[in-house]
Amino acid sequence: MTDALHRDLLALAQEAARRAGELLRDGRPADLAVAKTKSSPIDVVTEMDIAAEKLITDLISGQRPEDGFLGEEGASAEGTSGVRWVIDPLDGTVNYLYGLPTWAVSIAAEQDGETVVGVVAAPMRGETYHAVRGGGAWATGAWEGERALACRPAPPLDQALVSTGFNYVTEVRTHQAEVAARLVPLLRDIRRSGSAAVDLCDVASGRLDGYYERGLNAWDYAAGDLIAREAGALTGGRPGERPSRDLTVAGSPGVFEPLQRLLEDFGAWHD
Ligand code: 2AM
Ligand code: CA
């Protein structure tokens, strides 16, 4: 029963992510970053963001009217079925604005508060990642069928490639830069993709050894967190805690633990 429900939720999330991804990809004006459109470029992005969230919530609530919602663009409903959808219609907004390819649609389904399904569609990569709790993590792309995802075997921390992100708030970003400056000499290198959802899927895919960021909301990491865990990665927040707004950390076992410890020592969760 649960398996069948999770399969249904996955199929619905995949359909919603595919359609929203196409809307965002095909609806983005080619001159978005430079041209003076009738409204400002930011307004155009916001309009696209809202339209994508509406597409997703309309599709889902049409089929599952009892479910709850939490969405970055304001979707919020309690629901009565025990299922709640956690949605970021456009993660990596600044990349989308500039025409950089790293942006994604992120859709997670929670059952009684636990994430059971996660889908992250990255249309400009031509890849979509998904996981069902207990069922492994998978990707589809320019190849036949589904490919199983597995995080990378851990290198020593000084050989680890770790991604992070910086907040929109200047004071927070400044502190994050100080933490990153202390980490850089202890790692292979740092990456900054601009999409938390994609970073978590890159940990799942073995394209990164680790990832951390402060200031995320549940919709940024809900789907990617499940995908990373189902690919064998460890995820958390501050030591002993789950991912949160304070801190989200993910990594291969062997990278996650020392990274989380360093972030605690460096006070990465606050100024
Ligand atoms: P967004 O593109 O949907 O805004 C970039 O570092 C990542 O962090 C993106 O996933 C971005 O989501 C998110 N992010 C950056 N600053 C944020 C903030 N102040 N609040 C919430 N999410 C933020
Ligand atoms: Ca986001």
Side-chain angles (χ1 to χ4, degrees), residues 160-180:
L161 188 64
V162 173
S163 185
T164 191
F166 299 100
N167 204 262
Y168 297 130
V169 178
T170 308
E171 292 73 30
V172 178
R173 203 163 62 229
T174 303
H175 174 69
Q176 288 173 312
E178 288 160 7
V179 171

Side-chain angles (χ1 to χ4, degrees), residues 10-30:
L10 173 65
L12 192 49
Q14 286 174 312
E15 175 70 8
R18 186 182 60 77
R19 288 204 210 168
E22 286 172 3
L23 175 86
L24 289 164
R25 185 193 62 203
D26 300 341
R28 182 183 180 281

